[in-house]
Amino acid sequence: MSAKAVLFDLENNMPTAKMLRDLVQHYPTLYLFNCNGQFAYTLEDLTEFAMWVNTGQVVILETAQAKEKEFEYAVVVGQLMALLEPDTHVEVISAAKTSAVLIELMRGSALTCSLIQIQDAAEISKPKYKIPSLDVIQSKPYLKMVKQYCDALAKMPGKPNTIDSLKNSVMNILQVVPEKAQHLVGMLINLKIVKRYDEQINFRKKVLKQWALLHLEQDQAALVSSSNLAQAVELLQSSAELASSVPDVQQAQDALFKDFGKIDPVQLEVAKKLRELKNDKPKDIYALRDLLEQMFPKADVRLLLKELIEKGYIYWNGHEVLYSHEMFLN
């Protein structure tokens, strides 16, 4: 297992002594920096803080003030390259809007890292749009399609400005049937990515940017949203405690997935049987349910239908069942 370290960006993000105390129990080294060059603690807390610095549990990184954030972050990254052991994974906690630049520099320097992006304390009271978590997006086919569309849309010079043009754009970019495109248009509106005025629309730039910046690839730095510093510290503490009890976690996973082997082969057989029907597949959801009950009398048909819908094999628009192109392949 690779070593782990925590990097605190102190700009508008000052951890309490208790937060640091909770983390030094689980992480060998905490690295702190502030591009503004400021640091403030009570005298009582400074005594304990000084002990951590003397023992090397807390390391304060030097910073250089510059017009460009890239130069300031480059100084920090250079020190990390010299101080970190090979293969150390760095958990970065930052409230700075430019933290993505820091992550890119670290990754470009072959440092593995994850970013826990928290809100600036001064902005927490302001309403923010909350997008689904990375795990939720990855587990839901339609949310993954929304993410794919946002990625493509962020690179487009011109954007749709009516409902019809948005539907056509979704169909062209994602290569989906009109019914699926209509469903995705509704999701874009419900997720606050698109704002509708009758037949006219516009895009909320900040929300679209949030979706476009979210990295789904496993080899990229993970982005975790957290509303405040206390939650971020709890997240790191829980992660460290779980890592120290791997056998218990493995047992829990074994129990969680004990029925997976029973369900998944049935799903594969369902897909095979439906493909064999070709153009005679049931269009009515209840007819499909009855057919599955006949084909698989021992299976939980409601669960099968739910899995087929969530995995994108079928789509029900409220009137008829639509089948994905995979269901027509031999």
Side-chain angles (χ1 to χ4, degrees), residues 107-234:
R107 286 169 47 203
S109 302
L111 297 175
T112 61
C113 55
S114 300
L115 172 63
I116 301 179
Q117 181 75 61
I118 66 173
Q119 286 182 259
D120 186 328
E123 296 182 355
I124 288 178
S125 59
K126 297 180 181 179
K128 294 286 183 181
Y129 297 112
K130 184 178 181 181
I131 68 175
S133 69
L134 189 64
D135 290 338
V136 171
I137 292 174
Q138 289 176 319
S139 66
K140 304 293 183 182
Y142 274 102
L143 286 179
K144 288 184 73 172
M145 285 192 281
V146 168
K147 165 62 179 166
Q148 292 167 9
Y149 183 71
C150 288
D151 288 345
L153 197 66
K155 301 173 184 177
M156 292 168 53
K159 294 177 176 56
N161 56 12
T162 66
I163 289 291
D164 287 339
S165 62
L166 175 60
K167 182 178 176 180
N168 290 333
S169 175
V170 170
M171 289 172 58
N172 292 332
I173 290 175
L174 298 179
Q175 295 294 297
V176 294
V177 296
E179 290 80 4
K180 274 194 175 183
Q182 186 65 45
H183 182 67
L184 287 164
V185 166
M187 290 186 68
L188 289 167
I189 295 172
N190 291 335
L191 291 167
K192 309 298 184 183
I193 301 169
V194 170
K195 190 171 184 179
R196 179 177 182 177
Y197 307 92
D198 294 327
E199 294 304 310
Q200 299 294 314
I201 63 165
N202 63 25
F203 288 86
R204 291 183 169 94
K205 294 180 180 179
K206 290 183 178 179
V207 184
L208 177 60
K209 185 178 180 181
Q210 278 183 277
W211 279 85
L213 288 177
L214 188 65
H215 297 298
L216 292 185
E217 295 80 2
Q218 292 183 352
D219 62 339
Q220 290 180 313
L223 173 64
V224 180
S225 296
S226 179
S227 61
N228 59 54
L229 182 56
Q231 291 177 354
V233 170
E234 287 179 8

